[in-house]
Amino acid sequence: MTSDTQPESPAGGHGILLCDDLLFASRVLATARVQGCSLLWARDPATLLTWARQRPPSAILLDLHHPQLELTPLLRELSALCPSPPYCVAFGSHVDGERLESARRAGCQLVLPRSRFVAALDPHLSEWIYPANPR
């Protein structure tokens, strides 16, 4: 269910990662830990929404290939739950251009192929989770 909790940042923000891949999630969580970012790992959308109800996130990181992800309804519900909609970073396979484009149309602020997401983790994760001026 939960995997990682970090102390709340001075800015008060935190992120939630939706991913059902243990190895990939571990990599993202390790990066968050090194950077001192507060990031929770939800293995399913229901858990993500439960946590968002309890404490609205400043950012969400979404694996577009999660088998239970229904992106548009999830984003709609998050917008209704959160006083400020969370900064949404979505990632997926570079060969699935239609899925990446549909995430852009659905309202994700940043959509990246998985390889670019991994490359951007170290330099940009804290900006995504605490999005004053995210890149």
Side-chain angles (χ1 to χ4, degrees):
M1 190 174 180
T2 179
S3 298
D4 205 24
T5 56
Q6 297 292 323
E8 193 167 319
S9 78
H14 75 286
I16 302 174
L17 167 66
L18 175 65
C19 181
D20 69 339
D21 181 329
L22 173 64
L23 294 176
F24 191 77
S26 295
R27 182 177 193 175
V28 176
L29 293 168
T31 301
R33 219 175 355 267
V34 166
Q35 293 187 11
C37 296
S38 176
L39 183 65
L40 299 173
W41 172 32
R43 293 185 186 184
D44 60 75
T47 301
L48 185 150
L49 289 170
T50 296
W51 290 341
R53 279 184 199 94
Q54 294 169 354
R55 184 170 156 229
S58 54
I60 54 170
L61 311 177
L62 300 174
D63 181 349
L64 294 173
H65 294 279
H66 190 288
Q68 298 172 4
L69 178 63
E70 294 180 31
L71 186 58
T72 300
L74 177 70
L75 294 177
R76 192 176 305 122
E77 189 156 354
L78 282 168
S79 289
L81 288 173
C82 302
S84 297
Y87 185 75
C88 180
V89 179
F91 56 93
S93 172
H94 71 281
V95 297
D96 196 347
E98 176 54 36
R99 192 176 306 230
L100 296 173
E101 184 54 37
S102 70
R104 288 182 191 95
R105 287 191 309 266
C108 295
Q109 287 88 350
L110 183 60
V111 179
L112 300 169
R114 186 179 291 256
S115 60
R116 286 193 49 217
F117 175 81
V118 169
L121 270 176
D122 193 44
H124 298 294
L125 182 61
S126 65
E127 295 171 9
W128 297 339
I129 293 177
Y130 313 115
N133 294 303
R135 294 182 218 175

